[in-house]
Amino acid sequence: MNYVIHGREPEDALHYFEDICAIPHGSGNEQAISNYLYHFFETQGLTVKKDEMGNLYARKEGSPGYEHLPAILLQGHMDMVCEKNSDTIHDFEKDPLQLFVDGNFLRAKGTTLGADDGTAVAYMMAIASRKDLVHPPVEMLITVQEETGLDGAAAVDPSFFTAKKMINLDESPEGFAFVSCSGGLQVKSCKKAERIPARGQAISIKVRGLLGGHSGNDINAGRANSNKIMARALMTLLDEFGPYSLVSVCGGSKPNAIPREADSLVVVPDANKAIQCIHTLETQIKAEIGINEKGFSLTAQAEKLPQTMLDTQDCADFIRLFFLLPEGIQTYSMVMKDHTDCSLNTGVAETEGDTLCVLSSIRSAVATQKHMVARQIKELCTCFGAQYEFLSEYPGWAMAEHSPIRDLVCRIYREQTGKEMEINITHGGLESGLLADKMPGMDIIAIGPSNYEFHTPDEHLDLDSFARTFDLILRVLKALAQGE
């Protein structure tokens, strides 16, 4: 293979990362990468198992003299979020990622990079293949479908593992020790509408140029949501014309990604007046969000009238529901200052035949807050004659008062860098919550290298941070072997 990364350490781990980037591995499409990893670990002499979901379990015995020690569990996921720019030609089902080095960063051309969580997989591959390491028994868990609701972790069989300490390798940035995460719940809201012959004038509306981001880690960054902007645009036309018709709505592709783009096709009495309303609204929204969202645009243009449209009154009810759905930060943490406790992301809006649907992702470390927001959505659906469905609920992970693995990792990081590791909680969902629930008493910490703008095509991995984090992991393994 012709690698794009040269002259950097750890060379083996970086090349393993490139190897897995050559194999499509979006959520739900992990069979090829799971088979590849199974063969790799088996070739390295590890004990390997793969379950029906495709989750991979592996165990490397301790280095000579340390075989008898308690095991440490390393954990990450093999799937990635598949996002690309609208002008990028890339088939995530079959095309390899096109990597390139940009100064000190690794990027992919026009797509997500998959360093979330390909870095964890590369680290474990390097640990599995190196014969000169000093370490206790190392157990490894690489899950599937993390990005679509932690489905792989929900199916994990804990009986394979003996470890009582775990390092989750799915966090960022470097220098932070994550000790707690939010639980999650998705809610799907749907409104059926009869299709009728189209009458009137059609226009398309497009939201473009937003930053997007991770719906947990970036929800407090002031980033606009394309679906909520589209809901506002549709509501503006409802104020102008009264009930009118939607033909289709499409915004976002993942419930856990803040959507960057949205499209709709509508039928109104006067296309020119509607286009002017959207133009005026664009000016207003730019004045509101322009400091953060410099690339934002909201445009409308006349289109050929389609054969059918959706019933106007049903569309009016959907537009009001879409507009009123809660969005963004709901409450702040009472445990750690300036940290989000409960939030909601309007991640996907779409037309499914004669049904208009919105998929919302709720996050909270406090289960009752999560369920309270879900109840709000349920009541809104009831008010507007819409259906609702609760999907993909998973638990949070509470901070432990005492944690030997946390203390050890923080001490070694201080010795390695001369800096204190910052204790943090994440508003993102981690598999640590599900695994802690499955493995009572497991002592867990979550760390990782600095990876920026993940879940967007601007994702970029700090290569120096990748090296330091790998060195930190090796130092921790050595310390555990020496009885620390």
Side-chain angles (χ1 to χ4, degrees), residues 146 149-151 153-155 180-186 362-368 370-371 391-399 426-439 444:
E146 188 270 352
L150 312 183
D151 297 329
S180 175
C181 72
S182 291
L185 173 63
Q186 294 176 15
I362 308 169
R363 298 177 186 269
S364 181
V366 180
T368 52
K370 181 175 63 178
H371 294 143
L391 308 168
S392 300
E393 184 169 10
Y394 56 89
W397 162 41
M399 179 177 176
T426 177
H427 189 54
L430 286 176
E431 292 167 304
S432 301
L434 277 166
L435 297 175
D437 194 51
K438 285 175 172 285
M439 306 176 190
I444 306 174

Side-chain angles (χ1 to χ4, degrees), residues 47-188:
T47 303
V48 194
K49 171 188 170 182
K50 186 169 70 167
D51 65 21
E52 292 183 358
M53 284 285 292
N55 295 316
L56 201 69
Y57 310 70
R59 178 181 169 96
K60 183 180 183 182
E61 296 303 329
S63 52
Y66 303 104
E67 302 92 339
H68 64 287
L69 293 174
I72 176 75
L73 173 59
L74 304 180
Q75 191 267 321
H77 62 89
M78 67 182 78
D79 61 315
M80 64 174 284
V81 167
C82 296
E83 285 282 310
K84 64 180 180 178
N85 291 322
S86 56
D87 59 351
T88 296
I89 299 174
H90 184 91
D91 186 344
F92 282 106
E93 293 292 314
K94 63 182 181 180
D95 295 340
L97 301 177
Q98 300 297 311
L99 307 186
F100 67 99
V101 177
D102 177 18
N104 193 49
F105 297 103
L106 183 66
R107 299 177 181 267
K109 294 179 182 177
T111 70
T112 38
L113 174 64
D116 173 17
D117 192 25
T119 55
V121 178
Y123 287 155
M124 285 186 259
M125 292 174 72
I127 290 167
S129 64
R130 290 193 181 189
K131 310 304 181 186
D132 59 345
L133 299 180
V134 176
H135 60 82
V138 179
E139 296 174 341
M140 304 178 193
L141 171 61
I142 308 176
T143 54
V144 299
Q145 298 180 36
E146 188 270 352
E147 299 290 4
T148 52
L150 312 183
D151 297 329
V156 164
D157 176 8
S159 66
F160 181 88
F161 304 106
T162 65
K164 295 299 181 184
K165 293 182 174 68
M166 183 181 111
I167 302 176
N168 171 285
L169 298 171
D170 186 25
E171 263 305 340
S172 182
E174 177 193 3
F176 286 80
F178 290 87
V179 298
S180 175
C181 72
S182 291
L185 173 63
Q186 294 176 15
V187 184
K188 189 173 187 179

Side-chain angles (χ1 to χ4, degrees), residues 183 185-189 214-216 219-220 223 225 228 255-259 322 324-331 340-347 358-364 369-370 372-378 380 427:
L185 173 63
Q186 294 176 15
V187 184
K188 189 173 187 179
S189 310
H214 188 283
S215 66
I219 201 73
N220 62 347
R223 299 184 180 183
N225 182 307
K228 294 304 290 184
N256 60 352
I258 301 171
F322 194 15
L324 289 172
L325 282 173
E327 165 63 24
I329 297 173
Q330 304 297 300
T331 60
T340 304
D341 171 65
C342 183
S343 75
L344 178 138
N345 177 56
T346 309
V358 180
L359 186 58
S360 302
S361 177
I362 308 169
R363 298 177 186 269
S364 181
Q369 288 281 353
K370 181 175 63 178
M372 182 272 293
V373 175
R375 176 64 187 274
Q376 286 181 292
I377 297 174
K378 173 183 173 181
L380 282 170
H427 189 54

